[in-house]
Amino acid sequence: METPNPNVKMWQGNVACAEAALAAGCRFFAGYPITPSTEIAEVLSRRLPMVGGNFIQMEDEIAAMGATIGASLGGAKAMTATSGPGFSLKQENIGFAVMAEVPCVIVNVQRGGPSTGLPTHAAQGEVMQSRWGTHGDHPIIVLSPCSVRETYDMTVRAFNLAEKYRTPVILLSDELVGHLTEKVEVPPIEQLGIVNRKKPLVSPDKYLPYELNESDIPAMANFGDGYRYHVTGLAHDETGFPTNNPEKIQVQLERLNRKIDRYRDDIVEIETHYTEDADILVISFGSTARSARRAVINAREKGIKAGLLRLKTIWPFPDREIEEISAPVRKIIVAEMNLGQIAHEVEWATRRSKPVVRVNKINGEPITPNEIFNAIIAQD
Amino acid sequence: MDYLQYLRLDKMPHIWCDGCGHGIILKSILRSIDKLGWDKNDIAMVSGIGCSSRTPGYVDFNTLHTTHGRALAFATGLKIANPRLHVIVVSGDGDATAIGGNHFIHAARRNIDVTMIIYNNYIYGMTGGQVSPTTPSRKKASTAPYGNPDEPFDISRLAQAAGAAYVARSTVYHVGRTDKYIEQALTKTGFSVVEVLTPCPTSYGRRNKEGTAVDMMMAQKANSVGLERAKNMSEEELEGKIITGVFVDKDQKSYLTRYNEVVEQARNAK
């Protein structure tokens, strides 16, 4: 009999998320019970104390987001996890993390909405909320995994991007991926490439927490490091103190948005299958991309030139990649468990130069390979 | 003592109105900290939104001005992540007990190792004098033009009931007592609360014809009753009175102490 490989696990997506967070260096998790994300909190409540980390179940979703930001300012890599209604509640404090440039990871395991919706069924209805859920013009990074292994990799990546760009990062999972159990080969820790926030190299009297520098990403001191600075959600200048000076506000907010925009090539990831000679391009993401992949394979077996473009990064939106890959195709099909939140962006990215056919479902049931296959045939 | 070493003088003048009592509380906090001799690098002051929540901007500590009502949530994460920090939350009556009410009772229940100073002026000052959870019944506010129909919260009793380790109430008139209570709160293990009544002549006093800032402070003096004396007074006699004193001072395991036990247990179970 073969010796079992200790790195091979049978994990649920939510378990992989929790384990990846630990591997990425997460030492603080604040949460609140909500289906279908609760397993992440449950696993971390057991695992974090084992590594000397902190788990806390807060009194509500708002508090969980606040505590996550506070912990990050205290120097811990910090995460919270939630689903639809909880994600709505967290929005104000997510905006604070954006404005104050506090790295942290927010996991949203999407379920059916609106409102209480379908707690135990999947949806992909928070594409737009993850982009624009908090008020005001702001940048955000959103990643969407389609498998258990990818949940692991993307959770690590979410922490790395948060630390690198001093920003909250949203991991946009869904009920199907979160509750799916699959075989995962856990990558060795050395392979993960852990990124830590850039610390200031100057003396405390010269430290500018929101410095305008060449990289657009200011160095971050943790509270207690000897750099006594001010953090506020109010519009502030380089020093971190509130200001009403229009020029200073304009400069800071432009930098805040530019610091993600200019690095979009480092942030955006996509995956393609059979797109080289594709005539019909299917675009999908998250759990729906699994059905889309099967549909494309089935179409190829029938001699139809179908291809798949899977969005791994949702925001910043992979518009250039979509434009380039879809250039030679005749038609585009967008499959998603919402009423066209990605399809609309695809139309915009392709400047409506070709038909964008929508395959949508919002009843809690996954979109099946057959439904996408039928859409491909109909376009052939 | 030298107050200037703790202040960010380039941030002056402060935003507080003439006659506002908030500066008196700030000085009480600074005197207490000075007496304890804490290193400024080890102090974090966290606030929410409102007049009182502007305090952190003026003090030379690690300062965090968060969202409305959520200071305790941020402070909880901060304290847990870096237990070496002395975490002080400053909050107003609306910030602490309306929008932040849930966090307030749970911080007390959890006995998180944080000190909270509540500036209670019975009103939402920054937004122009709206009724708050501590506005006395029948008093006027911009959103209670016919008088407040609600009953107010008693913040100290609320903290006591929710399980705080230390609870005291004073007024800005009683500066010596306020200093003492804040110092006791800062050295208490667990969740400690000092509620300080502070006049808002601009938004509360004016509308309720309570006179000048001095008149309002003299009323604090006239109406304050010590906790011990209040025990022998009837409900009618206590009408309109401010009960001051130390409501709670008990030794119980704090959140961090308990959580460290959890860590020990988890490590041994491995």
Side-chain angles (χ1 to χ4, degrees):
Chain A
M1 219 176 89
E2 269 184 80
T3 330
N5 180 346
N7 295 324
V8 174
K9 311 278 186 190
M10 278 297 282
W11 273 347
Q12 203 189 55
N14 284 344
V15 174
C17 176
E19 290 293 339
L22 290 170
C26 174
R27 289 297 176 269
F28 182 92
F29 179 95
Y32 187 84
I34 186 162
T35 305
S37 77
T38 307
E39 294 83 5
I40 299 171
E42 287 175 339
V43 172
L44 288 171
S45 72
R46 185 170 53 82
R47 295 280 281 117
L48 271 167
M50 289 181 178
V51 296
N54 283 282
F55 168 88
I56 187 165
Q57 183 172 316
M58 294 299 286
E59 54 273 17
D60 59 32
E61 296 279 4
I62 300 167
M65 191 63 234
T68 300
I69 298 168
S72 181
L73 280 165
K77 286 190 184 176
M79 179 168 97
T80 184
T82 188
S83 298
F87 192 53
S88 293
L89 285 167
K90 289 188 192 300
Q91 292 300 331
E92 185 193 7
N93 282 342
I94 292 174
F96 184 92
V98 171
M99 185 65 154
E101 301 181 57
V102 184
C104 56
V105 174
I106 302 110
V107 183
N108 176 16
V109 186
Q110 295 170 99
R111 67 190 223 186
S115 189
T116 313
L118 290 158
T120 59
H121 291 83
Q124 295 176 310
E126 276 110 74
V127 170
M128 285 299 162
Q129 190 188 19
S130 65
R131 178 67 191 87
W132 295 114
T134 195
H135 56 278
D137 287 293
H138 64 279
I140 197 82
I141 298 174
V142 182
L143 313 176
S144 186
C146 78
S147 68
V148 175
R149 169 62 199 261
E150 197 172 62
T151 301
Y152 190 93
D153 294 346
M154 272 191 188
T155 303
V156 173
R157 186 160 191 257
F159 275 98
N160 285 348
L161 292 173
E163 295 282 318
K164 187 173 180 181
Y165 295 114
R166 246 189 102 169
T167 183
V169 175
I170 294 165
L171 185 79
L172 195 63
S173 183
D174 60 58
E175 190 275 335
L176 285 169
V177 171
H179 283 164
L180 176 72
T181 298
E182 281 182 318
K183 190 175 96 172
V184 194
E185 190 167 347
V186 181
I189 248 173
E190 324 66 88
Q191 261 181 35
L192 296 175
I194 302 301
V195 178
N196 294 312
R197 62 192 67 169
K198 194 171 69 184
K199 295 284 203 78
L201 299 169
V202 297
S203 59
D205 58 310
K206 297 212 170 55
Y207 177 54
L208 292 169
Y210 301 96
E211 184 187 38
L212 299 164
N213 62 28
E214 190 280 317
S215 72
D216 285 327
I217 309 154
M220 181 178 169
N222 299 326
F223 275 22
D225 281 355
Y227 294 78
R228 296 186 304 275
Y229 67 105
H230 189 59
V231 177
T232 177
L234 282 166
H236 45 266
D237 61 19
E238 283 186 284
T239 64
F241 287 95
T243 181
N244 285 323
N245 180 313
E247 282 110 57
K248 287 181 176 178
I249 294 166
Q250 186 79 23
V251 160
Q252 278 295 332
L253 290 180
E254 280 178 3
R255 178 188 62 74
L256 183 74
N257 285 279
R258 192 171 60 233
K259 88 172 173 180
I260 302 301
D261 291 347
R262 70 179 266 197
Y263 297 108
R264 58 92 65 199
D265 288 350
D266 178 48
I267 300 164
V268 169
E269 281 188 352
I270 54 153
E271 186 182 81
T272 55
H273 296 280
Y274 315 111
T275 50
E276 301 78 20
D277 61 342
D279 191 30
I280 296 169
L281 180 68
V282 180
I283 298 177
S284 196
F285 68 104
S287 63
T288 309
R290 299 169 74 101
S291 293
R293 186 159 183 265
R294 172 49 57 193
V296 165
I297 292 168
N298 291 351
R300 284 276 166 176
E301 281 168 3
K302 294 264 185 275
I304 302 165
K305 286 186 175 176
L308 171 68
L309 167 53
R310 180 167 73 86
L311 311 180
K312 296 170 75 174
T313 305
I314 305 290
W315 303 106
F317 196 69
D319 50 355
R320 285 179 223 158
E321 290 76 5
I322 289 171
E323 191 184 13
E324 190 193 315
I325 291 163
S326 69
V329 311
R330 206 159 39 81
K331 280 179 180 167
I332 298 171
I333 295 169
V334 179
E336 51 187 329
M337 285 185 281
N338 60 54
L339 291 180
Q341 297 185 27
I342 290 284
H344 188 85
E345 288 299 306
V346 169
E347 283 174 350
W348 179 80
T350 55
R351 296 170 173 79
R352 292 180 185 261
S353 59
K354 54 199 72 190
V356 175
V357 177
R358 299 173 183 212
V359 179
N360 303 131
K361 217 181 211 184
I362 52 166
N363 63 0
E365 292 287 305
I367 297 174
T368 63
N370 246 346
E371 286 166 321
I372 301 169
F373 178 74
N374 290 339
I376 296 171
I377 289 182
Q379 302 308 317
D380 186 44
Chain B
M1 68 164 274
D2 173 21
Y3 292 103
L4 303 187
Q5 63 177 308
Y6 297 108
L7 292 170
R8 288 166 169 158
L9 289 176
D10 57 332
K11 301 302 160 202
M12 301 293 168
H14 57 67
I15 59 145
W16 298 320
C17 305
D18 291 352
C20 171
H22 288 11
I24 300 173
I25 305 176
L26 170 57
K27 284 182 85 175
S28 280
I29 296 171
L30 296 181
R31 273 191 300 274
S32 306
I33 287 171
D34 192 68
K35 205 167 165 196
L36 294 168
W38 286 350
D39 187 328
K40 291 193 285 185
N41 286 320
D42 296 338
I43 302 169
M45 190 180 272
V46 187
S47 69
I49 296 294
C51 296
S52 59
S53 288
R54 288 304 187 95
T55 307
Y58 306 126
V59 292
D60 188 20
F61 306 132
N62 302 281
T63 53
L64 173 58
H65 176 221
T66 74
T67 47
H68 197 17
R70 319 301 174 196
L72 277 171
F74 283 71
T76 298
L78 179 60
K79 179 67 184 181
I80 291 172
N82 188 349
R84 201 172 44 82
L85 290 170
H86 304 289
V87 179
I88 305 165
V89 169
V90 289
S91 188
D93 40 293
D95 192 56
T97 63
I99 192 164
N102 200 26
H103 313 308
F104 184 57
I105 57 173
H106 286 275
R109 172 185 65 83
R110 201 174 275 133
N111 203 25
I112 183 74
D113 311 54
V114 163
T115 295
M116 186 176 194
I117 316 291
I118 302 176
Y119 302 32
N120 181 1
N121 61 5
Y122 304 149
I123 205 87
Y124 284 86
M126 185 158 278
T127 43
Q130 294 76 34
V131 71
S132 99
T134 61
T135 306
S137 205
R138 298 184 298 281
K139 291 288 185 180
K140 286 183 179 169
S142 76
T143 48
Y146 306 106
N148 178 19
D150 296 347
E151 284 298 321
F153 262 143
D154 180 328
I155 294 180
S156 291
R157 295 287 191 204
L158 181 63
Q160 178 178 22
Y166 181 91
V167 182
R169 177 158 52 212
S170 183
T171 81
V172 295
Y173 178 84
H174 302 91
V175 172
R177 254 181 260 170
T178 306
D179 285 16
K180 190 178 78 183
Y181 296 161
I182 293 176
E183 191 192 329
Q184 286 174 353
L186 290 174
T187 49
K188 190 76 195 173
T189 304
F191 188 57
S192 52
V193 179
V194 181
E195 176 193 358
V196 188
L197 301 183
T198 163
C200 176
T202 305
S203 281
Y204 181 80
R206 185 171 47 89
R207 212 170 254 115
N208 287 294
K209 301 190 168 43
E210 300 208 349
T212 64
V214 175
D215 293 334
M216 290 178 82
M217 284 180 70
M218 292 314 284
Q220 288 185 334
K221 181 193 181 192
N223 292 323
S224 288
V225 176
L227 194 56
E228 284 310 309
R229 190 153 71 88
K231 279 178 186 162
N232 302 315
M233 290 167 73
S234 68
E235 223 167 276
E236 291 76 42
E237 287 172 309
L238 284 171
E239 181 72 32
K241 299 289 184 205
I242 304 160
I243 303 175
T244 60
V246 179
F247 288 69
V248 183
D249 186 357
K250 61 182 179 183
D251 293 315
Q252 60 188 21
K253 282 185 183 174
S254 73
Y255 177 83
L256 289 177
T257 312
R258 285 170 188 267
Y259 192 80
N260 285 337
E261 291 171 4
V262 168
V263 170
E264 275 310 299
Q265 213 182 325
R267 284 189 154 149
N268 294 335
K270 242 193 313 196

